[in-house]
Amino acid sequence: MHRQGLELPDHLRRLLDQGNALRSGGYRGRFAPSPTGVMHLGNLRTALASWLEARRNGGVWLLRIDDLDTPRNSPGAKASIQRDLQWLGLDWDGPAIFQSHYRGRYYAWLSWLRRAGALFPCRCSRRMLLDHPIYPGTCRMGQKRWGWQDKRLPSWRLRVPDDDPHGSGDVVLRRADGFVAYQLATVIDELCFGISDVVRGEDLRASLPAQFSVYAALVQQPPRFLHVPLLRDQHGQKLSKRKASAGLAPLQDAGLDAAAVTGQLAASLSLVAPGARLTARELLQDLTHRSTYVLDS
Ligand code: GLU
């Protein structure tokens, strides 16, 4: 892969080759929660859907913890995520992957993209961009000053061609606070871990154009995506980890076991009748015998 004649360094090329080889070996899915709090039932329902798709396809299912945004990480969340998945019998393959272990890798990509001229520094404030759902290109033509100015660092944006069909605008790949942006990290991870299929919540559909633009910039094929509807509370509101929407604990305290909770989650996806009790493995067996089903609420 070249960008304006700038060859990809060998170690990055090897990572891509490894990822592509893994991906061509069959279904590889992943669940990628951010450790911002205890998982609520909506997160767990999405995890169940993602696990079911991977297992139904005889595939691999990875657990990736998106812990790059350290100020938003909540103590104990990494452990509680793993505990809750295990309790429900949603087993993942290999050790959990922590994005924070791969910071060097993301920075290597950033630095290559920057040297290849694919990025530009942007000093627009959030407020300046409020009226623009798509970045209007304000800093594209500015001078490439990457350092501090007025006590602030710029964000690094990917220059996305105006005729790009995804309509993402110029995507931020490194935030002004210095953190690697989710849009870059997730794309690099899907590629390097050879993910063929992403099943995640409907709320992340909005990030698809940005991610497609990053795949295009890296001249790589995106995985397939399936977005499952979000579970809502009785007022139709989205559940939120940060607002501490209820997770497993109250159900466990009320004496429910994994089969009862899995039955509830599966019923809310219309996979089984309300009141059903079955473990994740039993649900998988059940679905394997059906010709079609729709992951819908
Ligand atoms: N870590 C992101 C989140 O929990 C999701 C990543 C993804 O599934 O693409 O919102």
Side-chain angles (χ1 to χ4, degrees), residues 105-119:
R105 183 184 283 187
Y106 309 127
Y107 279 112
W109 282 98
L110 272 174
S111 115
W112 177 70
L113 284 166
R114 180 173 135 172
R115 278 182 294 125
L119 308 182

Side-chain angles (χ1 to χ4, degrees), residues 62-83:
L62 304 180
L63 172 61
R64 183 184 93 203
I65 310 255
D66 288 357
D67 59 347
L68 285 181
D69 191 346
T70 34
R72 293 182 78 236
N73 291 348
S74 138
K78 292 180 190 181
S80 77
I81 287 170
Q82 298 182 68
R83 207 171 44 237

